[in-house]
Structures are given as structure tokens and as C-alpha cells.
Amino acid sequence: MTAEITLFVNPTAGRGRGAHAAQPAASALRAAGFAVRTVVGADAEDALARLRIAVREGTGAVIAVGGDGMVSLALQALAGTLVPLGVVAVGTGNDFARSLGLPVRDPAQAGRLAAEALKQSRIREIDLGRAAGKWYGTVLCSGFDSRVNDRGNRMRLPAGRFKYDLAMVAELAAFKPFPYRITLDGGPVIETEATLVAVGNGSSYGGGMRICADAVPDDGLFDVTVVGDCSRATLLKVFPQVYKGTHLSHPKVSVYRAAKVTLEAAGITAYADGEPLGPLPVTAECVPAAVRLLT
């Protein structure tokens, strides 16, 4: 393994925490004897292009400094390669790090963990989702939650997961279930009215909402959470349970496991890792051991 490590930095993550987080993470890596170079792009497209060059030229690891969006960008360059990924989670949601038990908003600790993992070759191979030509590590969402995601991403305040709470209240004004067609592993089509359908490689999204609470990121399968035709009152009652994952036992919630999932519904946009994929229909495939994670 080469001793040069690439810090992949989003300086605007977490309202500016990304820029400050890079320094303690880099210090921890240098203290462990690694050379560190930093990749920062003018925008997401430029950053990804620069990272792909760094991976192609050879690097011992890529440490993504930022939120789930920065991790998602890193996955596009690292999936299917032998270059391991470390995460310094200082964004808004940090669901990738949260679901894998990595430090959140503690860049020094995250840097030390990455350095120790590199020294000890402590690597976990995890699955990734692949949909609409993109890799994702946490959850693909569609329906009410994707509309909340869209609204929440447009909101500058408040910070953290509470913006999604407010976005949900706003979306409730126009709430109604959607007619879905769901296909699991090429089986018979499931036609159902659903509030939302989430396809989880990881357990949470939106800053700790454990929509696919039992998802395991290295079992070769998605957890597919289908919330049925809830009323507004039922949705408001069930929603707080999402943070603990206890919503899965509600009679309006069904969970399936599959390696390939196709979702069809009119007028619905799919999001994955908090980033828009595009309108349904979409097919997601679980790719086993797609990325090597420093843990």
C-alpha cells in the first residue's frame, strides 16, 4: 500500500465544518507516518474528476471529509477498485458513517481511526446499491420521503435533522398515497398504494431516520421498507418511531429483502444518499463487496 493518502474535502459541508475538519484529520494521518494530499473541486463534477485522477495515479486510500454527499461522490470513484475509503463525517446527515458505527462530527477521532485501520489493514468490504448509473451506500427513497428530502435539501435553516421534520410538516399539506408497482428479484409485480418505498443498503437517512433499521450493509441484499396507504394522522403517529426503528412493527409497514428492486410510480422522484437520481421507474441492484471501508 502506498503511503500517500488522499483527503477528498468538501469545504462547505456542515455549514463550513468541512474546511476545519480536514486539518485534524490530516494531522492524525501524518502523525501515523502517511503523506497527505488534498483534492478539492470547484464543484461536484470537478471534484469527482480530480478524485478519479488521484485514484488512477495511485493512492493508499481516499478519506472523504464532509457529509453523505461527499461520501457518495467518493463511491463513484472507488466502487469496484481496491482503494479503501475512510470517512470524516462532518456534514448534515452523516447517515453513511452513522449506520456503519464510524465517528460523527469528530474529525480528529475519525482521522486516527482511518490511520489505525490503514496500519492494521483493518478493512470491511461492504455492499453498494447501483441505480440509474450511480452507486449509493445508504438508502434510495421514493414517495413522501423523497418529496420531504427535496424540500429539506432546499432549506438552509435549521441545521441538522430538524430541517427534515419541518419539511415533512410542509409536505403533509398535499399528502396522499401513491400507486406503486414493485418488482423484487424479477418476481411477480406487487401493485399497492404506498406512502413511500425505501430501498436500504444502509439503515438510515435524513440525519438518523432509521427507515430500514435492520439493513445489513454486507449481506448482499437490500431491505425494502414499504409504508402503506397511511392517513395523515397515522403518518404523524408513526413518524417519530422512525428514529428508533420501531415503525417496522406497525401494521401499515412491510419489509422485504431482495437483491434487485424495480419501482414504478407516476410523478415520483427517486433520491439515493440524499442526491436526486431522477423520476421513477428505477431499478436498484445490490452489488456485494463493492467498496473497501476503513473501520
Side-chain angles (χ1 to χ4, degrees), residues 103-143:
V104 172
R105 294 184 182 171
D106 190 340
Q109 183 188 359
R112 288 192 298 269
L113 184 146
E116 292 167 3
L118 285 165
K119 288 282 192 181
Q120 300 170 16
S121 298
R122 201 170 63 226
I123 290 173
R124 180 183 179 186
E125 293 185 333
I126 65 168
D127 308 333
L128 293 177
R130 180 81 169 163
K134 294 184 179 180
W135 299 96
Y136 74 93
T138 58
V139 177
L140 183 155
C141 66
S142 68

Side-chain angles (χ1 to χ4, degrees), residues 10 12 26 49-51 72 91 94 107 125 130 138 142 147 149 155 168 187 203 211 215 223 246:
N10 178 2
T12 65
R50 290 173 183 268
L51 181 62
S72 180
N94 303 312
E125 293 185 333
R130 180 81 169 163
T138 58
S142 68
R147 295 197 175 188
N149 200 343
M155 295 169 61
M168 185 198 74
S203 59
I211 187 68
D223 275 31
T246 54

Side-chain angles (χ1 to χ4, degrees), residues 143-162:
F144 179 76
D145 52 355
S146 68
R147 295 197 175 188
V148 170
N149 200 343
D150 187 32
R151 182 180 291 269
N153 287 342
R154 294 196 306 266
M155 295 169 61
R156 299 184 64 182
L157 293 172
R161 76 185 193 188
F162 299 106

